[in-house]
Amino acid sequence: MFRLQSSKVLAVDMTGDAVKAKNGAMVAYDGRMAFKKLSGGGEGLRGMVTRRLTGEQMTLMEVKGQGTCWFADRAAEINLVRLQGDTLYVESSNLLAADGGLRTGTSFTGLRGASQGNGLFTTTVEGHGQAAIMSDGPAVVLRVSPQYPLTVDPGAYVAHQGNLRQSFQSGVTFRTLIGEGGGEAFQMRFEGDGLVYVQPSERNTIAGEV
């Protein structure tokens, strides 16, 4: 159902089924479509209240019908992720679309969210189907194995999936290693077996002040 029209445009072919997408991200459609705004990112009242308390912003719309919809957002690069009963953890600003049957929710992330000023939760997508995530520049997919844990700059982190344990290391930053101040006050560490998506351009964070 999901296919890339280009690296920056997602095409979704529908035959009566539905897709969840970032509000305002649809750039064109053909056929017959119906649109509905999903409160609180699609999780109902509990999700809406959680996001209001944490400051996490993710407004989704549901598109249902027959035809093709095209989605894009700020010319960001788009990456397709296939879920087979597992969970994708993704920054809310990086989620473009998901199959209508996938469940969206929130997950506590602790220090990382607080340091970035994005609330204490990140967005989760779980079930069987496809999701489309965005990155500032072509994303790099890095494999984590038990023998090779991975350390990531929080400003470059986009998403992760698999059987991974996430923790935080503070005190030494990538920028302080090369003599530049004002960088992130911590690093993200992943251990286990899974995939981590990173982007080649850092988002602005306030972690350096923490």
Side-chain angles (χ1 to χ4, degrees), residues 1 5 11-12 21 25 35 41 50-51 55 64 69 78 88 95 131 136 146 157 181 191 193 201 205 207:
M1 188 170 71
Q5 188 79 32
V12 181
F35 308 93
T50 297
R51 294 187 185 282
K64 186 175 183 179
C69 284
I78 301 171
L88 174 71
L95 178 63
D136 187 2
Y157 169 80
E191 298 177 274
D193 186 12
S201 176
T205 72

Side-chain angles (χ1 to χ4, degrees), residues 1-2 12 18-20 82 97-103 128-131:
M1 188 170 71
F2 283 22
V12 181
V19 62
K20 298 175 184 177
R82 181 170 294 279
D99 279 343
L102 290 172
R103 298 180 300 279
H128 291 81
Q130 284 184 295

Side-chain angles (χ1 to χ4, degrees), residues 1 20 34 42 44 46 55 64 70 93 117 119 131 156 159 168 176 178 190 207:
M1 188 170 71
K20 298 175 184 177
R46 180 179 179 275
K64 186 175 183 179
W70 289 270
S93 60
F168 307 95
T176 56
I178 61 174
F190 295 93

Side-chain angles (χ1 to χ4, degrees), residues 135-155:
S135 58
D136 187 2
V140 177
V141 185
L142 302 176
R143 164 68 67 177
V144 181
S145 66
Q147 296 82 11
Y148 294 97
L150 180 70
T151 302
V152 175
D153 186 314

